[in-house]
Amino acid sequence: MDDLDIGRTRRTPSRAQRQAVIARDQHCRFPGCDRPAGWSEIHHVQPWQHGGPTTATNLGAFCTWDHTQIHRNHTTIALAPDGTMTFTTPFGETWQTKPRSQLPRLPF
C-alpha cells in the first residue's frame, strides 16, 4: 500500500492523496463550478461510511458549497478509471465532468 491508497485504515485522506486529487481535478468537480481545487474539500465518491476506501481513485475535489449540496440533495457520484465523474440526482438527472489531468499510474 502506498500514500495514494490507504484503503480502509483511515477516513481522512493523506497529504499525498490530497495533492494528487488537486493535481488531477484542478478545480471543483461539480458540474459548472470552477473554484480552484486548492480551496476544495476532498470527498469520498463511494462514501467511507458505506465501505468506500480512502484511495486517490475514490476521492474528488469539491468546494464547500457543492460538497454540502451533494450531501443535502443525496446526489450520487460514480468515478470512472479515466477520472470522469458522473453525478446522478435522486430524480435521475445526470451530468458528467472530466478531470483536467490524470492521476499518476499506481505501481499495483
Side-chain angles (χ1 to χ4, degrees):
M1 189 165 11
D2 65 22
D3 286 341
L4 297 182
D5 179 1
I6 56 177
R8 298 279 307 156
T9 59
R10 70 177 210 217
R11 181 178 180 270
T12 307
S14 70
R15 181 179 197 160
Q17 287 174 318
R18 180 172 173 75
Q19 290 172 337
V21 171
I22 287 170
R24 179 195 65 203
D25 293 350
Q26 299 183 10
H27 64 91
C28 173
R29 289 296 300 278
F30 199 80
C33 187
D34 63 357
R35 289 182 181 99
W39 300 357
S40 297
E41 298 172 355
I42 304 301
H43 171 76
H44 285 80
V45 172
Q46 178 186 4
W48 193 83
Q49 65 269 30
H50 296 279
T54 303
T55 61
T57 56
N58 187 47
L59 298 169
F62 295 94
C63 69
T64 302
W65 172 261
D66 290 326
H67 189 188
T68 301
Q69 296 308 309
I70 288 166
H71 289 286
R72 183 175 289 147
N73 297 328
H74 306 288
T75 300
T76 60
I77 306 168
L79 180 58
D82 70 353
T84 300
M85 286 188 185
T86 303
F87 299 80
T88 305
T89 70
F91 305 107
E93 300 168 305
T94 62
W95 296 275
Q96 284 190 332
T97 64
K98 297 200 178 284
R100 293 190 179 164
S101 183
Q102 294 293 315
L103 284 173
R105 281 283 191 208
L106 300 178
F108 50 88

